[in-house]
Amino acid sequence: MPFAKVGDIEIHYDRHGQGPRLLFISGTGGDLRMKPNVFDGPLPKHFDTLAYDQRGLGQTTKPDCPYSMAQYAEDAAGLMHAIGWGSAMVIGVSFGGMVAQELAINHPHMVEGLVLCCTTPGGEGGASFPFHTIEHLKGEERARHMIPISDTRHDGAWAKANPAAYDAMVSFASLDPYADEPGTAIGRHRQLEARAKHDTWDRLDQIRCPTLVCAGRYDGIAPPATVAKMANRIRSSELRLFEGGHLFMLQDREAFPAMIRFLKGDQP
């Protein structure tokens, strides 16, 4: 997997597939070494797909200084320039959707089409779950706290009725093989600091490209009502709700095909 020098950092990225150019921006704590990742899904079968570790995460540089959401967008733009892309379609998931909003607002000529998944505008439009307030929770404790928020169907009664499935979720959500790497804790902390200040609400009307806004019906991290408010604020946007929580792309088999059809301009 290659690296690109972008501003003050070295960005670790990967690229697979053929077709129209697609930049995929991942969520909080995203690390390309964690499997499965975007390259294990259907996108590379349809697009020349570029994904990367954002600043402070994975194998990308982790400077110990304040980060901003605008800076994350500049990282994305810089990476595109570094590999020779003047523009691309963009999918942003959760925190990556916040970055994608900034990218589409600040560099409209670089975003040909936009898919925003399980993300929010912040500010008066409403924010996603405040992860910075539970930064002290680790491992299973954090997993048990977040499972019923990530998918509101998975409450205490569900966990009691489905102990094997619940235990598997806790085990999966607790997995953090790179937590002890140098710089990991501070990089994640700096990302959460930037995330807490995310606010594009008053600038969403500056997004001019075709936009698909997606949400899981049972998402407590990016609530569907908040996502719908964001969609209503973006010109020429389309809202789709899917059967699932914050991970609806893995829960609803129609999610990825719908995004692919939208970006390719195909009819359902």
CSV table of all heavy atoms in Angstrom, one decimal, residues 160-205:
chain,number,residue,atom,x,y,z
A,160,LYS,N,-30.8,-9.8,25.7
A,160,LYS,CA,-31.2,-10.9,26.6
A,160,LYS,C,-31.8,-12.1,25.8
A,160,LYS,O,-31.6,-13.2,26.1
A,160,LYS,CB,-32.2,-10.4,27.7
A,160,LYS,CG,-32.5,-11.5,28.7
A,160,LYS,CD,-33.4,-10.9,29.8
A,160,LYS,CE,-33.7,-11.9,30.9
A,160,LYS,NZ,-34.6,-11.3,32.0
A,161,ALA,N,-32.6,-11.7,24.8
A,161,ALA,CA,-33.2,-12.8,24.0
A,161,ALA,C,-32.3,-13.4,22.9
A,161,ALA,O,-32.6,-14.4,22.4
A,161,ALA,CB,-34.5,-12.2,23.3
A,162,ASN,N,-31.2,-12.7,22.7
A,162,ASN,CA,-30.3,-13.2,21.6
A,162,ASN,C,-28.8,-13.1,22.1
A,162,ASN,O,-28.0,-12.4,21.6
A,162,ASN,CB,-30.4,-12.3,20.4
A,162,ASN,CG,-31.8,-12.3,19.8
A,162,ASN,OD1,-32.1,-13.1,18.9
A,162,ASN,ND2,-32.6,-11.3,20.2
A,163,PRO,N,-28.5,-13.9,23.2
A,163,PRO,CA,-27.2,-13.8,23.8
A,163,PRO,C,-26.0,-14.1,22.9
A,163,PRO,O,-25.0,-13.5,23.0
A,163,PRO,CB,-27.3,-14.8,25.0
A,163,PRO,CG,-28.4,-15.8,24.6
A,163,PRO,CD,-29.4,-15.0,23.8
A,164,ALA,N,-26.2,-15.1,22.1
A,164,ALA,CA,-25.0,-15.5,21.2
A,164,ALA,C,-24.7,-14.4,20.2
A,164,ALA,O,-23.6,-14.0,20.0
A,164,ALA,CB,-25.3,-16.8,20.5
A,165,ALA,N,-25.8,-13.8,19.6
A,165,ALA,CA,-25.6,-12.7,18.6
A,165,ALA,C,-25.0,-11.5,19.3
A,165,ALA,O,-24.2,-10.8,18.8
A,165,ALA,CB,-26.9,-12.4,17.9
A,166,TYR,N,-25.5,-11.2,20.6
A,166,TYR,CA,-25.0,-10.1,21.3
A,166,TYR,C,-23.6,-10.2,21.7
A,166,TYR,O,-22.8,-9.3,21.5
A,166,TYR,CB,-25.9,-9.9,22.6
A,166,TYR,CG,-25.4,-8.7,23.4
A,166,TYR,CD1,-25.6,-7.4,23.0
A,166,TYR,CD2,-24.8,-9.0,24.7
A,166,TYR,CE1,-25.2,-6.3,23.8
A,166,TYR,CE2,-24.4,-7.9,25.5
A,166,TYR,CZ,-24.6,-6.6,25.0
A,166,TYR,OH,-24.2,-5.5,25.8
A,167,ASP,N,-23.2,-11.4,22.1
A,167,ASP,CA,-21.8,-11.7,22.5
A,167,ASP,C,-20.9,-11.5,21.3
A,167,ASP,O,-19.8,-11.0,21.4
A,167,ASP,CB,-21.6,-13.0,23.1
A,167,ASP,CG,-22.2,-13.1,24.5
A,167,ASP,OD1,-22.5,-12.1,25.1
A,167,ASP,OD2,-22.4,-14.3,25.0
A,168,ALA,N,-21.4,-11.9,20.1
A,168,ALA,CA,-20.6,-11.8,18.9
A,168,ALA,C,-20.4,-10.3,18.5
A,168,ALA,O,-19.3,-9.9,18.1
A,168,ALA,CB,-21.2,-12.6,17.7
A,169,MET,N,-21.4,-9.6,18.7
A,169,MET,CA,-21.3,-8.1,18.5
A,169,MET,C,-20.3,-7.5,19.4
A,169,MET,O,-19.5,-6.6,19.0
A,169,MET,CB,-22.7,-7.5,18.6
A,169,MET,CG,-23.6,-7.7,17.5
A,169,MET,SD,-25.2,-6.7,17.7
A,169,MET,CE,-26.0,-7.2,16.2
A,170,VAL,N,-20.4,-7.8,20.7
A,170,VAL,CA,-19.5,-7.3,21.6
A,170,VAL,C,-18.0,-7.6,21.3
A,170,VAL,O,-17.1,-6.8,21.3
A,170,VAL,CB,-19.8,-7.7,23.1
A,170,VAL,CG1,-18.7,-7.3,24.1
A,170,VAL,CG2,-21.2,-7.2,23.5
A,171,SER,N,-17.8,-8.9,20.9
A,171,SER,CA,-16.5,-9.3,20.6
A,171,SER,C,-15.9,-8.6,19.4
A,171,SER,O,-14.8,-8.1,19.3
A,171,SER,CB,-16.5,-10.8,20.3
A,171,SER,OG,-15.2,-11.3,19.9
A,172,PHE,N,-16.8,-8.4,18.3
A,172,PHE,CA,-16.4,-7.7,17.1
A,172,PHE,C,-16.1,-6.2,17.4
A,172,PHE,O,-15.1,-5.7,16.9
A,172,PHE,CB,-17.5,-7.8,16.0
A,172,PHE,CG,-17.2,-7.1,14.8
A,172,PHE,CD1,-16.3,-7.6,13.8
A,172,PHE,CD2,-17.8,-5.9,14.5
A,172,PHE,CE1,-16.0,-6.9,12.7
A,172,PHE,CE2,-17.5,-5.2,13.3
A,172,PHE,CZ,-16.6,-5.7,12.4
A,173,ALA,N,-17.0,-5.6,18.1
A,173,ALA,CA,-16.9,-4.2,18.4
A,173,ALA,C,-15.7,-3.9,19.3
A,173,ALA,O,-15.2,-2.7,19.4
A,173,ALA,CB,-18.2,-3.6,19.0
A,174,SER,N,-15.3,-4.8,20.1
A,174,SER,CA,-14.2,-4.6,21.1
A,174,SER,C,-12.8,-4.8,20.4
A,174,SER,O,-11.8,-4.4,21.0
A,174,SER,CB,-14.3,-5.6,22.2
A,174,SER,OG,-15.5,-5.5,22.9
A,175,LEU,N,-12.8,-5.4,19.2
A,175,LEU,CA,-11.5,-5.7,18.6
A,175,LEU,C,-10.8,-4.4,18.2
A,175,LEU,O,-11.3,-3.6,17.5
A,175,LEU,CB,-11.7,-6.6,17.3
A,175,LEU,CG,-10.5,-7.0,16.6
A,175,LEU,CD1,-9.7,-8.0,17.4
A,175,LEU,CD2,-10.9,-7.7,15.3
A,176,ASP,N,-9.5,-4.3,18.7
A,176,ASP,CA,-8.7,-3.1,18.5
A,176,ASP,C,-7.3,-3.5,18.5
A,176,ASP,O,-6.5,-3.1,19.4
A,176,ASP,CB,-9.0,-2.0,19.5
A,176,ASP,CG,-8.5,-0.7,19.1
A,176,ASP,OD1,-7.9,-0.6,18.1
A,176,ASP,OD2,-8.8,0.3,19.9
A,177,PRO,N,-6.8,-4.2,17.4
A,177,PRO,CA,-5.4,-4.7,17.4
A,177,PRO,C,-4.3,-3.7,17.3
A,177,PRO,O,-3.2,-4.0,17.6
A,177,PRO,CB,-5.4,-5.6,16.2
A,177,PRO,CG,-6.5,-5.0,15.3
A,177,PRO,CD,-7.5,-4.5,16.2
A,178,TYR,N,-4.7,-2.4,17.0
A,178,TYR,CA,-3.6,-1.4,16.8
A,178,TYR,C,-3.7,-0.3,17.9
A,178,TYR,O,-3.0,0.7,17.8
A,178,TYR,CB,-3.8,-0.8,15.4
A,178,TYR,CG,-3.8,-1.8,14.3
A,178,TYR,CD1,-5.0,-2.1,13.6
A,178,TYR,CD2,-2.7,-2.5,14.0
A,178,TYR,CE1,-5.0,-3.0,12.6
A,178,TYR,CE2,-2.7,-3.5,13.0
A,178,TYR,CZ,-3.9,-3.7,12.3
A,178,TYR,OH,-3.9,-4.7,11.4
A,179,ALA,N,-4.4,-0.6,19.0
A,179,ALA,CA,-4.6,0.4,20.0
A,179,ALA,C,-3.3,0.9,20.7
A,179,ALA,O,-3.2,2.0,21.1
A,179,ALA,CB,-5.6,-0.1,21.0
A,180,ASP,N,-2.4,0.0,20.8
A,180,ASP,CA,-1.2,0.3,21.5
A,180,ASP,C,0.0,0.8,20.6
A,180,ASP,O,1.1,1.0,21.1
A,180,ASP,CB,-0.7,-1.0,22.3
A,180,ASP,CG,-1.7,-1.4,23.3
A,180,ASP,OD1,-2.3,-0.6,23.9
A,180,ASP,OD2,-1.7,-2.7,23.6
A,181,GLU,N,-0.3,1.0,19.4
A,181,GLU,CA,0.7,1.6,18.5
A,181,GLU,C,1.1,3.0,18.9
A,181,GLU,O,0.2,3.8,19.3
A,181,GLU,CB,0.3,1.5,17.0
A,181,GLU,CG,0.3,0.2,16.4
A,181,GLU,CD,0.0,0.2,14.9
A,181,GLU,OE1,-0.5,1.2,14.4
A,181,GLU,OE2,0.3,-0.8,14.2
A,182,PRO,N,2.3,3.4,18.7
A,182,PRO,CA,2.7,4.8,19.1
A,182,PRO,C,1.8,5.8,18.3
A,182,PRO,O,1.6,5.7,17.1
A,182,PRO,CB,4.1,4.9,18.6
A,182,PRO,CG,4.6,3.5,18.7
A,182,PRO,CD,3.5,2.6,18.3
A,183,GLY,N,1.3,6.8,19.0
A,183,GLY,CA,0.5,7.9,18.4
A,183,GLY,C,-0.9,7.6,18.2
A,183,GLY,O,-1.7,8.5,17.9
A,184,THR,N,-1.4,6.3,18.3
A,184,THR,CA,-2.7,6.0,18.1
A,184,THR,C,-3.7,6.7,19.0
A,184,THR,O,-4.7,7.3,18.5
A,184,THR,CB,-3.0,4.4,18.2
A,184,THR,OG1,-2.2,3.8,17.1
A,184,THR,CG2,-4.4,4.1,18.0
A,185,ALA,N,-3.5,6.7,20.3
A,185,ALA,CA,-4.4,7.3,21.2
A,185,ALA,C,-4.5,8.8,20.9
A,185,ALA,O,-5.6,9.3,20.9
A,185,ALA,CB,-3.9,7.1,22.6
A,186,ILE,N,-3.4,9.5,20.7
A,186,ILE,CA,-3.5,10.9,20.5
A,186,ILE,C,-4.1,11.2,19.2
A,186,ILE,O,-4.9,12.2,19.0
A,186,ILE,CB,-2.1,11.6,20.6
A,186,ILE,CG1,-2.2,13.1,20.7
A,186,ILE,CG2,-1.2,11.2,19.5
A,186,ILE,CD1,-3.0,13.6,21.9
A,187,GLY,N,-3.8,10.4,18.1
A,187,GLY,CA,-4.4,10.7,16.8
A,187,GLY,C,-5.9,10.5,16.9
A,187,GLY,O,-6.7,11.4,16.3
A,188,ARG,N,-6.4,9.5,17.6
A,188,ARG,CA,-7.9,9.3,17.7
A,188,ARG,C,-8.5,10.5,18.5
A,188,ARG,O,-9.6,10.9,18.2
A,188,ARG,CB,-8.2,8.0,18.3
A,188,ARG,CG,-7.8,6.8,17.4
A,188,ARG,CD,-8.1,5.5,18.1
A,188,ARG,NE,-7.7,4.3,17.3
A,188,ARG,CZ,-7.8,3.1,17.7
A,188,ARG,NH1,-8.2,2.8,18.9
A,188,ARG,NH2,-7.5,2.1,16.8
A,189,HIS,N,-7.8,10.9,19.6
A,189,HIS,CA,-8.3,12.0,20.4
A,189,HIS,C,-8.4,13.3,19.5
A,189,HIS,O,-9.4,14.0,19.6
A,189,HIS,CB,-7.3,12.2,21.6
A,189,HIS,CG,-7.6,13.5,22.3
A,189,HIS,ND1,-8.8,13.6,23.2
A,189,HIS,CD2,-7.0,14.7,22.4
A,189,HIS,CE1,-8.8,14.8,23.7
A,189,HIS,NE2,-7.7,15.4,23.3
A,190,ARG,N,-7.4,13.5,18.7
A,190,ARG,CA,-7.4,14.7,17.9
A,190,ARG,C,-8.6,14.7,16.9
A,190,ARG,O,-9.2,15.7,16.6
A,190,ARG,CB,-6.1,14.9,17.2
A,190,ARG,CG,-4.9,15.2,18.1
A,190,ARG,CD,-5.2,16.5,18.9
A,190,ARG,NE,-4.0,16.9,19.6
A,190,ARG,CZ,-3.9,18.0,20.4
A,190,ARG,NH1,-5.0,18.7,20.6
A,190,ARG,NH2,-2.8,18.3,21.1
A,191,GLN,N,-8.8,13.5,16.4
A,191,GLN,CA,-10.0,13.3,15.4
A,191,GLN,C,-11.3,13.7,16.1
A,191,GLN,O,-12.1,14.4,15.6
A,191,GLN,CB,-10.0,11.9,14.8
A,191,GLN,CG,-11.1,11.8,13.8
A,191,GLN,CD,-11.4,10.4,13.4
A,191,GLN,OE1,-11.4,9.5,14.2
A,191,GLN,NE2,-11.7,10.2,12.1
A,192,LEU,N,-11.5,13.1,17.3
A,192,LEU,CA,-12.7,13.4,18.1
A,192,LEU,C,-12.9,14.9,18.4
A,192,LEU,O,-14.0,15.4,18.4
A,192,LEU,CB,-12.7,12.5,19.3
A,192,LEU,CG,-12.8,11.0,19.1
A,192,LEU,CD1,-12.9,10.3,20.5
A,192,LEU,CD2,-14.1,10.7,18.3
A,193,GLU,N,-11.8,15.5,18.7
A,193,GLU,CA,-11.8,17.0,18.9
A,193,GLU,C,-12.4,17.7,17.7
A,193,GLU,O,-13.2,18.6,17.8
A,193,GLU,CB,-10.4,17.5,19.3
A,193,GLU,CG,-9.9,17.2,20.6
A,193,GLU,CD,-8.6,17.9,20.9
A,193,GLU,OE1,-7.8,18.1,19.9
A,193,GLU,OE2,-8.3,18.3,22.0
A,194,ALA,N,-11.8,17.4,16.5
A,194,ALA,CA,-12.3,18.0,15.3
A,194,ALA,C,-13.8,17.7,15.1
A,194,ALA,O,-14.6,18.5,14.7
A,194,ALA,CB,-11.4,17.6,14.1
A,195,ARG,N,-14.1,16.4,15.2
A,195,ARG,CA,-15.5,15.9,15.0
A,195,ARG,C,-16.5,16.7,15.9
A,195,ARG,O,-17.6,17.1,15.4
A,195,ARG,CB,-15.6,14.4,15.3
A,195,ARG,CG,-16.9,13.8,15.1
A,195,ARG,CD,-16.8,12.3,15.5
A,195,ARG,NE,-18.0,11.6,15.2
A,195,ARG,CZ,-19.1,11.6,16.0
A,195,ARG,NH1,-19.1,12.2,17.2
A,195,ARG,NH2,-20.2,10.8,15.7
A,196,ALA,N,-16.1,17.0,17.1
A,196,ALA,CA,-17.0,17.7,18.0
A,196,ALA,C,-17.4,19.1,17.5
A,196,ALA,O,-18.4,19.7,17.9
A,196,ALA,CB,-16.4,17.8,19.4
A,197,LYS,N,-16.5,19.7,16.7
A,197,LYS,CA,-16.7,21.0,16.2
A,197,LYS,C,-17.3,21.1,14.8
A,197,LYS,O,-17.4,22.2,14.2
A,197,LYS,CB,-15.4,21.8,16.2
A,197,LYS,CG,-14.8,21.9,17.6
A,197,LYS,CD,-13.4,22.6,17.6
A,197,LYS,CE,-12.8,22.7,19.0
A,197,LYS,NZ,-11.4,23.3,19.0
A,198,HIS,N,-17.6,19.9,14.3
A,198,HIS,CA,-18.2,19.9,12.9
A,198,HIS,C,-19.5,20.7,12.8
A,198,HIS,O,-20.4,20.5,13.6
A,198,HIS,CB,-18.5,18.4,12.5
A,198,HIS,CG,-19.3,18.3,11.3
A,198,HIS,ND1,-18.8,18.7,10.0
A,198,HIS,CD2,-20.5,17.8,11.1
A,198,HIS,CE1,-19.8,18.4,9.1
A,198,HIS,NE2,-20.8,17.9,9.7
A,199,ASP,N,-19.6,21.6,11.8
A,199,ASP,CA,-20.8,22.4,11.6
A,199,ASP,C,-20.8,22.9,10.1
A,199,ASP,O,-20.0,23.8,9.8
A,199,ASP,CB,-20.8,23.5,12.6
A,199,ASP,CG,-22.1,24.3,12.4
A,199,ASP,OD1,-22.9,24.0,11.5
A,199,ASP,OD2,-22.3,25.3,13.2
A,200,THR,N,-21.6,22.3,9.3
A,200,THR,CA,-21.7,22.8,7.9
A,200,THR,C,-23.2,23.3,7.7
A,200,THR,O,-23.5,23.6,6.6
A,200,THR,CB,-21.5,21.6,6.9
A,200,THR,OG1,-22.3,20.5,7.2
A,200,THR,CG2,-20.0,21.2,7.0
A,201,TRP,N,-24.0,23.3,8.7
A,201,TRP,CA,-25.4,23.6,8.6
A,201,TRP,C,-25.7,24.8,7.7
A,201,TRP,O,-26.5,24.8,6.8
A,201,TRP,CB,-26.1,23.7,9.9
A,201,TRP,CG,-27.5,24.0,9.9
A,201,TRP,CD1,-28.1,25.2,10.3
A,201,TRP,CD2,-28.6,23.1,9.4
A,201,TRP,NE1,-29.5,25.1,10.1
A,201,TRP,CE2,-29.8,23.8,9.6
A,201,TRP,CE3,-28.6,21.9,8.9
A,201,TRP,CZ2,-31.0,23.3,9.2
A,201,TRP,CZ3,-29.8,21.3,8.5
A,201,TRP,CH2,-31.0,22.0,8.7
A,202,ASP,N,-25.0,25.9,8.0
A,202,ASP,CA,-25.3,27.2,7.3
A,202,ASP,C,-24.7,27.2,5.9
A,202,ASP,O,-24.9,28.2,5.2
A,202,ASP,CB,-24.8,28.4,8.1
A,202,ASP,CG,-25.6,28.6,9.4
A,202,ASP,OD1,-26.8,28.2,9.4
A,202,ASP,OD2,-25.1,29.1,10.4
A,203,ARG,N,-23.9,26.2,5.5
A,203,ARG,CA,-23.2,26.2,4.2
A,203,ARG,C,-23.7,25.1,3.3
A,203,ARG,O,-23.2,24.9,2.2
A,203,ARG,CB,-21.7,26.1,4.5
A,203,ARG,CG,-21.1,27.3,5.2
A,203,ARG,CD,-19.6,27.1,5.5
A,203,ARG,NE,-19.4,26.1,6.5
A,203,ARG,CZ,-18.5,25.2,6.5
A,203,ARG,NH1,-17.7,25.1,5.4
A,203,ARG,NH2,-18.3,24.3,7.5
A,204,LEU,N,-24.6,24.3,3.8
A,204,LEU,CA,-25.1,23.1,3.0
A,204,LEU,C,-25.6,23.5,1.6
A,204,LEU,O,-25.5,22.7,0.7
A,204,LEU,CB,-26.1,22.3,3.8
A,204,LEU,CG,-25.6,21.5,5.0
A,204,LEU,CD1,-26.7,20.8,5.7
A,204,LEU,CD2,-24.5,20.4,4.5
A,205,ASP,N,-26.2,24.7,1.5
A,205,ASP,CA,-26.7,25.1,0.2
A,205,ASP,C,-25.6,25.4,-0.8
A,205,ASP,O,-25.9,25.6,-2.0
A,205,ASP,CB,-27.6,26.3,0.3
A,205,ASP,CG,-26.9,27.5,0.9
A,205,ASP,OD1,-25.8,27.4,1.3
A,205,ASP,OD2,-27.5,28.6,0.9
